[in-house]
Amino acid sequence: MTPAASYIGDWPTLRAAAERLRDDRARTDPDFVKSGKLAPADADARARVATSLATIWAAVDEHREVPDVPAGDAEIRADLKSAVAAAQRLVAARPDDRSVARYAAGLATLAHYHRPWRDGAHTALIRFLHSCNQQARAAQTLPRAAA
């Protein structure tokens, strides 16, 4: 699945997708663990990654510095790859459900923003873009020198 063009740069929508992933996992993973479909350690890892993702996107949306989070960029990328694949299966099973399609597109766009910002880099694109945006905002508030 490719990122949704309409979600590129739409920080509030991407934040909502990250928060939905976190909240969905908090709601469903305990039952998956009880039924034996998910190992407790895997549920803990999924919760840690989803919470990290939601924290990153809250900071991006609110134009704050991204705090340290317990999940690394590579781990978030791998998790998003799985989440996008699961969302694609759900879209295929429910092709008329626009809410599911929008959520899947949001996850694909999150995955786009969490790819390395350039070849050979480990840092996620969103971290690089957010840093540039923060610097640009700070530069706009500096007093202009008289010419």
Side-chain angles (χ1 to χ4, degrees):
M1 178 168 271
T2 57
S6 61
Y7 294 165
I8 297 295
D10 184 350
W11 303 156
T13 295
L14 295 173
R15 176 186 185 172
E19 290 173 346
R20 178 175 172 181
L21 180 65
R22 179 200 59 207
D23 297 347
D24 284 353
R25 287 180 177 180
R27 183 177 40 80
T28 62
D29 282 5
D31 289 338
F32 290 150
V33 170
K34 284 181 189 174
S35 69
K37 293 178 183 176
L38 186 64
D42 292 339
D44 290 344
R46 285 167 44 99
R48 184 174 43 75
V49 170
T51 298
S52 295
L53 189 67
T55 299
I56 290 167
W57 282 93
V60 169
D61 183 36
E62 295 170 7
H63 303 169
R64 293 183 288 109
E65 290 298 319
V66 175
D68 288 336
V69 293
D73 289 337
E75 188 177 14
I76 291 170
R77 271 192 286 283
D79 187 87
L80 280 170
K81 183 177 179 180
S82 297
V84 168
Q88 287 175 324
R89 290 190 297 274
L90 193 55
V91 168
R94 296 165 48 185
D96 295 331
D97 190 331
R98 288 187 175 171
S99 174
V100 169
R102 283 191 300 271
Y103 178 53
L107 289 176
T109 308
L110 286 172
H112 165 79
Y113 275 115
H114 282 274
R115 73 184 200 274
W117 74 276
R118 66 174 172 84
D119 289 341
H122 299 286
T123 302
L125 174 63
I126 190 56
R127 289 183 184 272
F128 175 74
L129 292 174
H130 185 59
S131 177
C132 292
N133 288 340
Q134 291 289 82
Q135 290 177 22
R137 285 185 199 99
Q140 289 175 346
T141 63
L142 294 176
R144 300 251 180 209

